[in-house]
Amino acid sequence: MLQPLIAASRVRVGSVRIRGVPAILCGVAAIVAAAGASAALQRVATIVPETLREARLLWIAVRADRPGMLS
C-alpha cells in the first residue's frame, strides 16, 4: 500500500536528487519549517510599527542639523 507512494516520491533541487523516504522526510521538514516561519512572522508583525516609530525618534534625536540639539 505505501510502496507506490515511497517509490514515486522524488525531490530535485539543482543537482541534488532525493528519492524515497528521505524525499518524504524533506517534504515534511519543509512544511514544518514554513509553518514555524509563518508563526514567527505573525508574532513579529505586531512589533514592527513600534520599532519603526522608535527608530524614527532615535534618528531625530541624533540628527546633527537640528539647532541646539547636539551643540
Side-chain angles (χ1 to χ4, degrees):
M1 182 172 160
L2 290 177
Q3 191 65 22
L5 176 67
I6 293 172
S9 299
R10 296 179 189 168
V11 174
R12 189 172 89 183
V13 178
S15 63
V16 177
R17 295 179 185 165
I18 305 171
R19 293 178 44 182
V21 175
I24 294 171
L25 292 175
C26 286
V28 170
I31 291 169
V32 170
S38 174
L41 286 174
Q42 284 179 339
R43 277 187 242 121
V44 170
T46 59
I47 301 170
V48 171
E50 183 179 343
T51 303
L52 291 175
R53 183 178 58 81
E54 291 293 330
R56 180 182 156 274
L57 292 175
L58 178 65
W59 173 253
I60 290 171
V62 298
R63 211 170 54 183
D65 60 292
R66 286 189 71 181
M69 187 71 180
L70 297 175
S71 306

